[in-house]
Amino acid sequence: MSETRIDHDRLFKELLSTFFEEFVLLFFPHVHEQIDFHYLSFLSEEVLTDVTAGEKHRVDLLVETKLRGEDGLIVVHIEHQSYIQSSFSERMFIYFSRLFQKHRRRILPIAIFSYDAIRDEPSSFTVSFPFLTVLDFRFLTVELSKLPWRTYIRHDNPVAAALLSKMGYNEEEKVEVKKEFLRMLTRLELDEARQRLLFGFFETYLRLSEEEEVRLRDEVKTMEEKEAAKVMELIVSYEQKGMEKGMEKGIEKGMEKGMEKAKLDVAKRMLAKGFDADTIHELTGLPLETIEQLKP
């Protein structure tokens, strides 16, 4: 059975566009101090063509904002990287230059590395000679797999909660990571839509086995009574939603099967009455090949 493909770009874009200020505050507090978040606009999706590589690339997130006390705009370019790419810093510069060419504004480039491997990613791209540095392009980076997840559970920050699932933990720590994620979620007291976004993001990247879920419940029971009740309520709530979703899918599948059977029955009766295949296809929507197979 093939593994379901994860739309990493969509997940990260939803998370960061919903909690953009919280993202900047979490990883770049010195930048957060300078940005006026009262002015915030998400620009339309940019598609950049790399002629040399013969590829098209969609910029993950482009945010227009202002620096505090200034009239001029800046553009924040966030690029999410879900797989290892040796020439990433060079391509980051190319994307930056194309965006600058179009917008002609100061652009702050940020790269998020979210793959599971641990490696030293560059944060610059340089073109130089022994006698002259022609280009020294630098960008901000977040390397999730290098981050110690325990450090971030102290932050009441929704981005920290979601990204625990992509930080540096081992298999033995998975239950504890989810427990801390749930504790953070109860403290944040978000509305249902935002809570669901965080829960969906986390569960995409860190999913427990049935045995691990039992261990999680046992650990929750050892927590302080009031907090344990809140966390358990959250667990039960999302289990119920998952069951309801499964039931809806089951009903939908059942209805589809029922409709298909009804169409086949109608087609058989029409064939028995002498209708031609083209007419039956037009009225039922069944493929001509299927109709031909129904002929006696």
Side-chain angles (χ1 to χ4, degrees):
M1 184 178 172
S2 61
E3 188 179 341
T4 304
R5 185 180 175 277
I6 297 172
D7 191 345
H8 302 283
D9 295 340
R10 180 187 62 78
L11 286 167
F12 272 82
K13 189 172 182 177
E14 283 181 0
L15 177 69
L16 299 180
S17 58
T18 304
F19 300 106
F20 177 71
E21 182 176 357
E22 291 87 345
F23 163 74
V24 177
L25 177 61
L26 180 67
F27 294 116
F28 309 108
H30 61 295
V31 175
H32 184 271
E33 291 173 2
Q34 302 296 323
I35 292 181
D36 180 2
F37 288 95
H38 290 101
Y39 185 92
L40 207 62
S41 174
F42 293 93
L43 302 182
S44 58
E45 191 175 67
E46 298 272 0
V47 179
L48 305 176
T49 303
D50 188 334
V51 178
T52 307
E55 298 174 354
K56 285 188 177 180
H57 173 79
R58 295 181 186 277
V59 173
D60 289 335
L61 202 64
L62 212 55
V63 187
E64 187 179 69
T65 186
K66 290 183 178 182
L67 291 179
R68 295 185 192 277
E70 292 191 21
D71 291 332
L73 298 173
I74 65 168
V75 174
V76 181
H77 163 213
I78 296 177
E79 190 66 29
H80 156 61
Q81 184 73 353
S82 60
Y83 58 93
I84 294 172
Q85 188 179 53
S86 58
S87 59
F88 179 75
S89 59
E90 178 184 335
R91 296 184 74 170
M92 191 73 171
F93 167 69
I94 292 170
Y95 301 150
F96 171 87
S97 60
R98 300 270 177 81
L99 291 170
F100 182 78
Q101 184 180 28
K102 178 175 179 178
H103 296 279
R104 298 289 175 172
R105 296 173 187 163
R106 288 178 294 181
I107 296 174
L108 176 65
I110 301 173
I112 304 171
F113 299 98
S114 66
Y115 43 72
D116 297 331
I118 296 177
R119 50 181 276 166
D120 292 322
E121 285 292 348
S123 58
S124 64
F125 175 66
T126 306
V127 177
S128 64
F129 297 93
F131 51 84
L132 176 69
T133 298
V134 178
L135 173 69
D136 186 12
F137 169 69
R138 298 176 181 276
F139 51 95
L140 298 174
T141 62
V142 179
E143 296 180 67
L144 293 175
S145 62
K146 284 186 174 181
L147 301 180
W149 67 273
R150 292 180 190 278
T151 303
Y152 288 86
I153 62 177
R154 301 185 183 94
H155 295 264
D156 285 338
N157 184 307
V159 176
L163 292 180
L164 286 182
S165 60
K166 292 296 293 176
M167 292 183 186
Y169 57 85
N170 57 46
E171 282 294 310
E172 289 71 34
E173 294 175 317
K174 283 171 64 181
V175 172
E176 193 177 355
V177 174
K178 184 166 182 179
K179 181 184 73 175
E180 293 301 332
F181 163 72
L182 292 168
R183 294 179 73 185
M184 291 174 77
L185 216 52
T186 57
R187 292 199 304 269
L188 287 167
E189 297 183 344
L190 300 169
D191 60 74
E192 188 180 349
R194 293 185 175 207
Q195 192 181 79
R196 191 165 59 244
L197 188 159
L198 296 182
F199 207 99
F201 186 101
F202 184 91
E203 288 259 301
T204 299
Y205 294 109
L206 195 159
R207 191 172 288 277
L208 301 183
S209 65
E210 288 185 18
E211 183 184 340
E212 288 168 332
E213 287 288 354
V214 171
R215 277 175 50 207
L216 172 64
R217 286 171 179 262
D218 289 341
E219 289 197 19
V220 169
K221 288 173 186 175
T222 65
M223 291 161 52
E224 185 271 326
E225 188 178 350
K226 193 175 286 186
E227 187 181 32
K230 285 184 179 179
V231 172
M232 194 59 76
E233 184 181 343
L234 198 59
I235 293 172
V236 172
S237 170
Y238 276 90
E239 280 182 352
Q240 286 176 342
K241 283 172 187 168
M243 287 172 65
E244 286 168 8
K245 195 172 181 183
M247 285 173 67
E248 283 173 10
K249 281 187 177 178
I251 291 168
E252 194 176 314
K253 275 190 175 179
M255 287 174 69
E256 285 175 3
K257 283 183 180 178
M259 287 176 68
E260 192 68 20
K261 186 177 183 303
K263 284 181 183 181
L264 292 170
D265 289 340
V266 169
K268 285 177 184 176
R269 289 200 298 272
M270 290 179 76
L271 283 169
K273 290 185 178 181
F275 284 87
D276 62 86
D278 288 330
T279 303
I280 297 170
H281 164 68
E282 188 178 339
L283 293 173
T284 65
L286 288 171
L288 287 169
E289 296 82 1
T290 302
I291 297 166
E292 290 295 333
Q293 289 171 6
L294 293 173
K295 289 181 179 179

